Amino acid sequence: MICHLCPRDCGAERTETRAGGFCGQPAIPVAAKAMLHRWEEPCLAGEHGAGCVFFSGCNLRCCFCQNGDISQGTVGKPVPAERLREIFRELIAQGAACLDLVTPTHFTPVILEALGDADWGVPVVWNCGGYEKVETLRTLEGKVQVYLPDLKYAVPEPAKRYSAAEDYFDRASRAILEMFRQTGPYRMENGLLKRGVLIRHLLLPGELENTRRVIDWVAKTFRSGDVLFSLMSQYTPQRGAEGKLARRVTGAEYRAAVQYMENCGITDGFTQERTSAREEYTPVFDLSGI
């Protein structure tokens, strides 16, 4: 295919055997791990964990990514649609509370083939970096029950510096509105999210103003009961990190962000203990479950 799935609009040729484009991946999905993941938000993890499939490659490649081994496309195994469907069934059989598709955008056509028209019995979660094309999201309508986008930036400068995506907020904000159009207000059953949008934002060290602008947009755009919001504190410096990114988020920074979120009236959501900023919460991408 000539790829125009994401806002990069590479126009790259990607086939089953030929990788290309910003994501550096072939057309067939490449995955690095399938597992029950207990460290997602409680409404997704449930009792046994979210049924995560971690796909390789990414259309952002943020310089601070904790999943760098797979976002840079260096780890992974090709998974055709038939095997992907089997993995979904295996995760559900293990007690997965949902099917959590992590960084799936650049494999959208084959993932749609794997999902088919089946009623999986648990929500299908589109867990993405937020840098999405509305046109691609529209192909998912009726197949995805829960959208789990990041909203990383509302300020162009860090978006450009850390993710080479100066237009990130314009793209992500429009994408989230499309996600909400598809799902409507979030719906919970017995403490589990069955339908809706859960927006994640990772507070970065020294970037509190960016976080405030993200919170402003969410608070002004949605009413109570529309979406869930997760303010994350788990930033962990990666090898070679420099400048602001060379340190963790301070307690004062995170407390200020939580207070701002509360002052803006966002009550439908999650905050984290700062002890969640630990390397051991990042899975080992050893191809298990694939």
Side-chain angles (χ1 to χ4, degrees):
M1 66 173 175
I2 303 301
C3 189
H4 294 282
L5 290 172
C6 86
R8 299 288 181 188
D9 267 325
C10 292
E13 183 179 3
R14 298 171 57 212
T15 70
E16 288 193 7
T17 57
R18 177 179 177 140
F22 190 91
C23 66
Q25 296 298 307
I28 189 171
V30 177
K33 193 179 186 74
M35 63 177 287
L36 295 184
H37 193 17
R38 297 179 181 272
W39 298 111
E40 297 286 38
E41 281 77 7
C43 64
L44 295 175
E47 182 179 356
H48 302 291
C52 287
V53 181
F54 291 90
F55 293 99
S56 302
C58 181
N59 68 354
L60 283 171
R61 296 188 187 179
C62 305
C63 64
F64 54 83
C65 182
Q66 293 176 223
N67 293 348
D69 288 346
I70 60 171
S71 65
Q72 304 301 321
T74 57
V75 177
K77 177 182 177 181
V79 184
E82 297 80 5
R83 173 56 189 150
L84 193 53
R85 195 175 298 118
E86 290 176 358
I87 291 171
F88 295 162
R89 294 188 183 116
E90 290 165 6
L91 290 168
I92 291 170
Q94 293 169 37
C98 62
L99 289 177
D100 188 0
L101 311 179
V102 184
T103 321
T105 303
H106 43 296
F107 300 124
T108 297
V110 181
I111 290 174
L112 282 172
E113 181 183 348
L115 289 171
D117 295 320
D119 179 358
W120 294 97
V122 297
V124 175
V125 179
W126 197 258
N127 184 342
C128 66
Y131 197 52
E132 305 283 300
K133 283 181 77 170
V134 168
E135 295 84 355
T136 300
L137 291 172
R138 285 175 181 156
T139 69
L140 302 172
E141 189 162 6
K143 308 288 187 181
V144 170
Q145 289 74 51
V146 174
Y147 283 100
L148 184 60
D150 290 335
L151 186 52
K152 297 176 186 288
Y153 313 105
V155 176
E157 192 277 331
K160 180 179 180 180
R161 176 160 30 111
Y162 299 143
S163 302
E166 190 173 6
D167 63 343
Y168 177 90
F169 179 70
D170 177 59
R171 293 291 194 165
S173 58
R174 284 191 283 164
I176 290 170
L177 290 173
E178 169 61 20
M179 295 171 185
F180 181 71
R181 183 197 69 78
Q182 291 184 24
T183 67
Y186 73 87
R187 179 167 58 85
M188 304 276 282
E189 292 181 10
N190 300 318
L192 295 178
L193 182 59
K194 297 297 184 179
R195 188 174 185 86
V197 179
L198 197 171
I199 301 168
R200 283 174 166 169
H201 174 71
L202 176 65
L203 175 62
L204 295 173
E207 297 292 352
L208 188 55
E209 183 60 23
N210 177 60
T211 293
R212 291 189 180 111
R213 298 292 77 78
V214 166
I215 291 171
D216 284 344
W217 182 81
V218 173
K220 291 175 182 176
T221 305
F222 299 105
R223 299 173 298 179
S224 177
D226 280 351
V227 300
L228 292 166
F229 184 75
S230 179
L231 180 62
M232 301 186 295
S233 63
Q234 68 211 43
Y235 173 78
T236 303
Q238 301 301 297
R239 186 179 306 150
E242 299 177 346
K244 297 177 184 178
L245 298 185
R247 65 170 176 85
R248 297 181 187 274
V249 170
T250 67
E253 284 175 318
Y254 191 64
R255 287 192 297 273
V258 171
Q259 186 63 59
Y260 194 83
M261 173 180 161
E262 293 173 353
N263 291 345
C264 287
I266 297 178
T267 57
D268 299 329
F270 306 90
T271 55
Q272 292 179 326
E273 298 293 330
R274 288 185 62 250
T275 53
S276 62
R278 295 178 180 172
E279 291 85 346
E280 57 262 36
Y281 293 156
T282 301
V284 176
F285 299 113
D286 55 6
L287 306 183
S288 59
I290 300 301

